[in-house]
Amino acid sequence: MDMPGYYEFCCPVKIISGHDALEKIPGTLAQLNAGRPMIVTDKGVVGAGLIDIVVNAISNGVKIGAIADTVPPDSDLRIVNGLARLYREKGCDSLIAIGGGSVMDTAKGINIIVSENADDLMRFSGANALKQALRPLITIPTTAGTGSEVTPVAVIKDHEKHLKMAFVSNFLLPDASIVDSRMTLTLPPAITAATGMDALSHAVEAYTCLAKNPLSDSHALAAIRLISDNLLKVTVNPGDRKGRLGMASAAILAGIAFGNSMVGMVHTLGHSVGSVCGVPHGACMAILLPYGLEYNMHKNGHLTAELLLPMAGTEVYAATPKEGRVQNVIALIRRMNQELYEATGGRHARFFKEVLDKDGKEMVPKEKLPDIAETALRDGSIFYNPEDLDYNDFLMVLEAAWEGNPLDTCLIRKG
Amino acid sequence: MHLPEHYEFFCPVKINSGNRALEQIPFELDALNARKPLVIARKDDSERGLVDVIVDAFKDSGIAVGIFDGVPVAPDLKLIRELFNIYRDRGYDAVIAVGGGSVADTAKVLNIAVSGKPENIEGYAGENMIKRTLKPLIIVPTLTGTGYEISRHAFFNGKDYTSHFLMPHLAVIDPRMTIPEDSVTTAATALAALAHAVEAYAGSGKNPLVDAYAYAAIQLIMKNLVNVIRDQRDRNGRLSLANAHAMAGCAFSNVAPGVAHKLGKVMGDVCHLPPGLCMGMLLPYVLEKQVSEGGYHISDLLLPLAGFDAYARMAENLRARRALEILHDLLKDLSKASGGAISRIWKDAQVSEDALQKIAQKAVSVGASFDINGCVKILREAREER
């Protein structure tokens, strides 16, 4: 563990985890001087019956000001503005976000508007534009993956102006995040698999990319261990409560790790596939993760090799010669994808050509790959990747990940 | 990996560590909505030039810092009243504590006063008596102190204040401030941090987040402590130790204090030894008793203590034993690196049987989880370094 020349680390989010952690919400809100929360969520969460569980758990202690379930799969400025109005009309004093990444982003956006009394969210976009604490925000993740329940980031899209606004500030960090096994028990296997691999990619890139530090490392290692122990189990057996809790903790640990260390090319390419083809983020991460590790191997193979311990345990680690460990880690991640593919009846895609939409149509046509590579060139997340990539490098990686071939190491430009 | 059925974790501390970290303080104060910080320090740290370094770091910021460099080793409420008046009358809005031990404790108690009811400070002593966020507090650790500056504890004037709201908003770790005073003090401070991290990692209150902080702290101390004692010029090693102190404080704040902490603290008081040294010397014996009683996570401890390869190679049933050996070896290596100073102090203390009984009784009365005989046995073994 090397000490970086300079680093910062911070996660002031209170974590409450358990099989009945929701019941702690009234006390937590009271400590924050709040008692009339607005619940922000989406139709899927409501449909799965999760809101009822939360309402039952908290209604003894708090008066719910409003329940808004109109958050779309992709955050949207108009919805943020509308819900901020609702918050004010109903006299709410705090927010509870229940859902995945888009719900968290939306709640953070609402919180900026209602706390700053703003009508133009744009004014607060970018890094560190917020100057004071916002209203109390509690997050309840219903997927175990994005980590946005513990990150200082929100992404809100203005679909009318075709703009994507990013907000980065420690004031966006929630006051508390509640991890309750009841919230992820009904997550379908394919989403469980994709979001779990999303968390794995956060942790692995946090550990192997350039902005790592001792605390992001220790959070990442713990996340990787929990994911290796639990992801396949809960995909095969969704009702495994202990496994669900393990995955939820892993998602938080991975979120804290990458929130404090940044990520690399797996995310760069993943963002781009998502934005050009609309593929869910977790699915992109699962496919790209082994390729990122292969591409960077000549720079950070010694770090990737260490991950064999949390991934495979002491016996495999000790029995594998040092120089074989890195290949073993990459092979293990491919095997995880294969096992998740089998456990989900083929719904968990191993390669981009296997990613299908609801109607069974290919979501990433091969001819889109140049567009994706072009988009990746404009993504800032590449800054902390160990090795540089230009357009041709991105395209080479995408083509391999589309077809499902390992990278040809001769084609990697070693700078 | 140990995953409790229910756990909670809270660590509001932001850590800024490394080159020119002090120069970030003005930006951090701005984010905390503060403009006029009061720097408090001990006279000798001020004479060592540490306060000047901070003042320099504010040079280009347009912020004028106040300085109070008269914090004694054993401060009392009179000092808090004096500091409270300075803070209020001159319009300060944040405290920056330079150095550990009594300075950090004073800063925390002063922060209670300026954030609430100054006339009834001791009313906030005890567990969780503080209910809300206090004013901005920044702690700049040196390598001297209690090893739990960045924790939810303040021990002040015979009272124990415990609340997550006492934790600083920011810990600023800068190589210019981590200048060791003498090897025994540096070792004692680091051993306190090690004991806290180890007892968090191996204790019953552990959870994945406590583990993450404790793991990093243990690893950094194991890798750097002996080197720093041997060669104080090891800049990276010093920075690593100060980081470990902060991380250990965060882990320690999320578990109940362990037996080594409690026994070591009482022993330090009774025998006039550095409490951190006592905690470190007692730690392997406390763990050994816990191993023999089963139910603890001591075999897992081998991972941060020894690293990936040594951990993976060791058979599972031998890991706890090996972890204890490593802790014993660390103490021996430290003593050697300090030119024998550490074991001299330990032997010269000549702790009597009466003192052992007294320490054990007092530790049990403040909640050490062993019985008196168990405590006496540990103290005796540690005294004789068996």
Side-chain angles (χ1 to χ4, degrees):
Chain A
M1 182 181 288
D2 293 324
M3 185 56 66
Y6 182 78
Y7 81 94
E8 298 185 0
F9 187 94
C10 177
C11 184
V13 182
K14 181 170 188 174
I15 313 291
I16 304 177
S17 160
H19 299 303
D20 45 14
L22 294 170
E23 278 73 3
K24 298 272 177 181
I25 292 174
T28 306
L29 277 176
Q31 238 191 9
L32 296 162
N33 284 323
R36 195 174 164 82
M38 171 158 112
I39 291 179
V40 181
T41 187
D42 61 32
K43 293 271 194 292
V45 173
V46 175
L50 302 182
I51 294 301
D52 298 339
I53 300 175
V54 177
V55 170
N56 275 334
I58 70 174
S59 50
N60 261 340
V62 295
K63 274 212 139 29
I64 296 168
I67 298 179
D69 63 2
T70 51
V71 177
D74 225 5
S75 64
D76 179 81
L77 180 62
R78 235 162 27 92
I79 303 280
V80 170
N81 284 327
L83 294 185
R85 257 194 314 277
L86 181 69
Y87 177 103
R88 289 180 181 131
E89 281 164 20
K90 299 287 183 184
C92 301
D93 61 10
S94 50
L95 290 151
I96 299 178
I98 310 171
S102 173
V103 168
M104 303 298 164
D105 284 348
T106 302
K108 288 172 184 172
I110 297 169
N111 206 8
I112 296 174
I113 296 182
V114 298
S115 304
E116 290 287 346
N117 228 341
D119 36 27
D120 182 14
L121 199 54
M122 192 63 143
R123 199 153 62 81
F124 298 95
S125 70
N128 300 320
L130 292 165
K131 294 295 173 205
Q132 55 184 350
L134 307 182
R135 299 278 177 266
L137 167 63
I138 292 179
T139 53
I140 307 175
T142 58
T143 64
T146 70
S148 51
E149 63 272 19
V150 288
T151 57
V153 182
V155 177
I156 313 267
K157 288 185 183 158
D158 182 343
H159 286 99
E160 281 158 21
K161 292 187 188 156
H162 302 286
L163 279 175
K164 194 165 112 177
M165 294 178 281
F167 304 82
V168 185
S169 162
N170 279 345
F171 293 119
L172 288 175
L173 284 162
D175 296 281
S177 185
I178 313 284
V179 168
D180 191 305
S181 55
R182 287 170 287 181
M183 292 291 105
T184 49
L185 276 181
T186 53
L187 198 64
I191 301 178
T192 301
T195 51
M197 289 302 285
D198 186 16
L200 183 66
S201 71
H202 294 327
V204 169
E205 286 217 297
Y207 196 83
T208 56
C209 290
L210 298 178
K212 71 208 257 53
N213 63 64
L215 282 169
S216 67
D217 281 355
S218 60
H219 284 77
L221 288 174
I224 293 167
R225 173 82 189 272
L226 283 167
I227 295 165
S228 306
D229 286 352
N230 294 299
L231 178 55
L232 186 63
K233 270 201 237 167
V234 297
T235 306
V236 173
N237 177 15
D240 175 355
R241 288 163 63 92
K242 192 155 172 76
R244 290 291 193 183
L245 214 49
M247 281 307 298
S249 278
I252 285 194
L253 287 158
I256 295 172
F258 92 94
N260 284 284
S261 73
M262 313 309 284
V263 283
M265 64 179 281
V266 172
H267 280 76
T268 314
L269 280 169
H271 296 158
S272 307
V273 177
S275 100
V276 174
C277 303
V279 179
H281 182 65
C284 300
M285 295 292 103
I287 292 169
L288 288 163
L289 182 56
Y291 292 95
L293 295 177
E294 277 179 330
Y295 189 87
N296 288 316
M297 201 193 304
H298 59 285
K299 288 273 169 93
N300 64 2
H302 60 295
L303 299 172
T304 306
E306 292 176 350
L307 301 181
L308 189 60
L309 182 62
M311 290 199 69
T314 52
E315 278 171 35
V316 174
Y317 182 86
T320 309
K322 212 168 184 168
E323 56 287 357
R325 285 175 189 158
V326 57
Q327 289 296 354
N328 210 336
V329 167
I330 295 168
L332 272 176
I333 293 172
R334 292 213 159 99
R335 198 173 86 196
M336 272 174 97
N337 274 332
Q338 177 65 32
E339 285 170 342
L340 294 170
Y341 173 84
E342 287 161 18
T344 56
R347 309 253 304 276
H348 179 78
R350 299 163 296 178
F351 326 118
F352 281 123
K353 69 177 177 189
E354 289 181 349
V355 181
L356 305 177
D357 66 12
K358 264 184 276 177
D359 310 318
K361 224 175 97 222
E362 226 175 52
M363 283 185 89
V364 190
K366 199 167 184 189
E367 59 273 18
K368 287 272 190 195
L369 298 185
D371 270 5
I372 298 169
E374 195 67 48
T375 309
L377 285 174
R378 296 190 299 270
D379 192 297
S381 61
I382 197 64
F383 189 75
Y384 294 101
N385 194 63
E387 182 57 280
D388 289 336
L389 290 95
D390 63 16
Y391 171 82
N392 290 323
D393 302 323
F394 279 128
L395 190 60
M396 183 265 290
V397 175
L398 283 167
E399 282 170 349
W402 191 87
E403 197 63 57
N405 297 328
L407 284 188
D408 179 350
T409 46
C410 304
L411 297 177
I412 299 169
R413 201 166 45 98
K414 298 183 174 84
Chain B
M1 177 161 209
H2 180 69
L3 184 71
E5 295 271 300
H6 181 90
Y7 72 84
E8 299 190 12
F9 182 88
F10 182 50
C11 180
V13 182
K14 181 176 182 195
I15 295 175
N16 287 11
S17 159
N19 298 321
R20 298 179 66 78
L22 292 172
E23 275 74 0
Q24 296 293 322
I25 297 179
F27 303 103
E28 299 289 353
L29 280 173
D30 187 44
L32 292 163
N33 261 320
R35 266 139 222 109
K36 201 172 168 189
L38 173 62
V39 173
I40 69 168
R42 282 190 338 218
K43 192 94 218 155
D44 47 347
D45 277 340
S46 174
E47 279 163 3
R48 291 203 291 156
L50 296 186
V51 172
D52 291 342
V53 180
I54 301 230
V55 173
D56 259 10
F58 275 89
K59 209 171 48 198
D60 301 326
S61 69
I63 291 178
V65 293
I67 296 165
F68 179 93
D69 61 3
V71 179
V73 176
D76 55 19
L77 286 176
K78 219 175 94 208
L79 175 74
I80 298 296
R81 275 192 290 277
E82 186 184 343
L83 285 169
F84 172 81
N85 288 335
I86 294 173
Y87 188 105
R88 186 193 51 194
D89 296 346
R90 303 195 192 153
Y92 293 111
D93 55 13
V95 176
I96 301 176
V98 178
S102 63
V103 177
D105 288 334
T106 300
K108 290 175 185 173
V109 176
L110 171 62
N111 210 20
I112 299 173
V114 298
S115 306
K117 297 197 186 84
E119 64 283 3
N120 180 29
I121 290 163
E122 293 199 334
Y124 294 95
E127 183 112 13
N128 294 329
M129 297 300 288
I130 300 159
K131 303 290 183 202
R132 58 190 179 85
T133 305
L134 306 183
K135 301 251 187 199
L137 171 63
I138 296 174
I139 295 184
V140 182
T142 56
L143 288 182
T144 302
T146 55
Y148 45 84
E149 282 74 19
I150 313 300
S151 78
R152 63 177 169 143
H153 298 277
F155 295 98
F156 191 89
N157 199 30
K159 292 263 190 300
D160 184 353
Y161 300 76
T162 305
S163 162
H164 280 109
F165 297 117
L166 288 176
M167 297 175 81
H169 295 86
L170 182 68
V172 181
I173 301 164
D174 190 303
R176 289 167 290 179
M177 306 301 281
T178 55
I179 312 296
E181 287 185 52
D182 61 85
S183 57
V184 172
T185 309
T186 306
T189 309
L191 285 173
L194 179 67
H196 295 139
V198 164
E199 292 202 304
Y201 196 84
S204 57
K206 84 192 243 116
N207 66 51
L209 287 141
V210 165
D211 285 357
Y213 281 89
Y215 177 94
I218 296 168
Q219 225 185 20
L220 290 171
I221 292 171
M222 293 307 295
K223 200 170 151 194
N224 295 289
L225 178 53
V226 175
N227 290 342
V228 170
I229 298 300
R230 198 177 290 133
D231 178 6
Q232 305 204 338
R233 289 165 307 180
D234 178 0
R235 185 172 174 280
N236 193 49
R238 288 173 357 225
L239 188 65
S240 300
L241 285 185
N243 265 275
H245 297 178
M247 295 164 187
C250 297
F252 184 56
S253 294
N254 281 280
V255 296
V259 178
H261 168 86
K262 288 194 162 147
L263 267 180
K265 193 161 178 303
V266 174
M267 185 175 185
D269 287 348
V270 172
C271 304
H272 307 291
L273 284 165
L277 183 64
C278 301
M279 292 173 197
M281 296 296 272
L282 295 172
L283 181 64
Y285 300 97
V286 170
L287 294 176
E288 179 151 13
K289 183 167 157 61
Q290 290 169 338
V291 170
S292 70
E293 289 168 359
Y296 287 80
H297 307 277
I298 293 156
S299 52
D300 293 346
L301 203 54
L302 187 61
L303 180 60
L305 283 177
F308 282 27
D309 287 288
Y311 174 78
R313 275 198 307 269
M314 187 65 59
E316 205 172 338
N317 57 343
L318 300 176
R319 283 184 198 141
R321 187 75 20 220
R322 181 73 194 118
L324 297 183
E325 275 169 23
I326 287 175
L327 287 171
H328 282 295
D329 289 348
L330 171 71
L331 294 170
K332 282 195 209 106
D333 293 346
L334 273 180
S335 193
K336 211 185 291 163
S338 70
I342 288 170
S343 53
R344 262 199 308 283
I345 287 186
W346 190 247
K347 292 215 168 67
D348 288 353
Q350 295 195 338
V351 184
S352 66
E353 277 297 314
D354 277 358
L356 294 190
Q357 295 287 343
K358 196 171 150 197
I359 295 163
Q361 273 164 15
K362 203 164 162 209
V364 170
S365 77
V366 295
S369 57
F370 296 166
D371 62 14
I372 291 178
N373 287 337
C375 290
V376 169
K377 187 161 169 280
I378 286 166
L379 290 162
R380 203 177 284 139
E381 283 171 353
R383 180 182 63 183
E384 281 140 35
E385 294 180 63
R386 244 185 267 157

